Amino acid sequence: MRWWPPFRGAGVRVTEIADDWGHVRVRLRFGRLNRNLFGTHFGGSLYAMCDPFWGLMLVHRLGGGYLVWDKAAEIEYVSPGRGDVFAEFMLTEERVAEIREATEGGAKALPWFTCSVVTADGTVVALVRKQVYVRRKREPQPSQPGRTSPDS
């Protein structure tokens, strides 16, 4: 993800991804390309640094048998960010187990996740909430006699 163009252009750098995808740490450098009119971090850059991680972490932790999509998001700007900022994402085994249980039998789950964007001294700049759609993939249905598939 270090070379992913949207992150490179915005000054976002993934500084750590745990081998099991249970923890991710991201840094957003403060520079002229992500500064707003007031000399603070552009809100879109603050959100972008948090955008993909809950879904990516779930995809890796749940495995290929699940559909995972972003559903909704919220960001609350708490204080102006004028230096580099950081976000950490923690996905516990208990939370993964909770989602697996909720999706048994084909049901969907719509869990919410939260992370804080903070300065180096821990000052909260923004709170980001993300809702993710999760469902087990459906098994392909055998074709029924006398019916044609849409592909035929």
Side-chain angles (χ1 to χ4, degrees), residues 78-139:
V78 178
S79 64
R82 291 191 176 87
D84 292 359
V85 293
F86 307 86
E88 288 194 62
F89 308 86
M90 299 287 294
L91 183 57
T92 65
E93 188 55 45
E94 293 78 20
R95 192 75 192 271
V96 173
E98 181 183 294
I99 292 167
R100 284 183 194 279
E101 184 179 329
T103 58
E104 284 183 17
K108 69 180 176 184
L110 298 171
W112 281 94
F113 298 92
T114 304
C115 75
S116 299
V117 177
V118 300
T119 62
D121 70 2
T123 302
V124 176
V125 173
L127 300 171
V128 178
R129 289 187 66 218
K130 188 85 177 243
Q131 186 180 42
V132 181
Y133 171 98
V134 182
R135 183 179 54 78
R136 290 180 189 241
K137 289 183 179 176
R138 294 187 176 113
E139 295 295 321

Side-chain angles (χ1 to χ4, degrees), residues 12 30 33 47-48 59 61 66-67 79 87 93 102 118 129 140 143:
V12 176
F30 185 57
L33 296 179
Y47 176 74
V59 164
R61 296 291 298 272
Y66 290 82
L67 292 174
S79 64
E93 188 55 45
V118 300
R129 289 187 66 218
S143 58

Side-chain angles (χ1 to χ4, degrees), residues 1-40:
M1 294 200 68
R2 182 171 288 152
W3 302 106
W4 192 42
F7 276 5
R8 251 180 97 84
V12 176
R13 179 163 183 176
V14 178
T15 60
E16 182 182 344
I17 298 177
D19 290 340
D20 70 352
W21 282 82
H23 175 256
V24 174
R25 184 170 165 83
V26 181
R27 175 184 195 162
L28 174 61
R29 293 189 181 273
F30 185 57
R32 63 182 175 80
L33 296 179
N34 59 13
R35 191 176 303 195
N36 66 22
L37 182 65
F38 306 105
T40 62

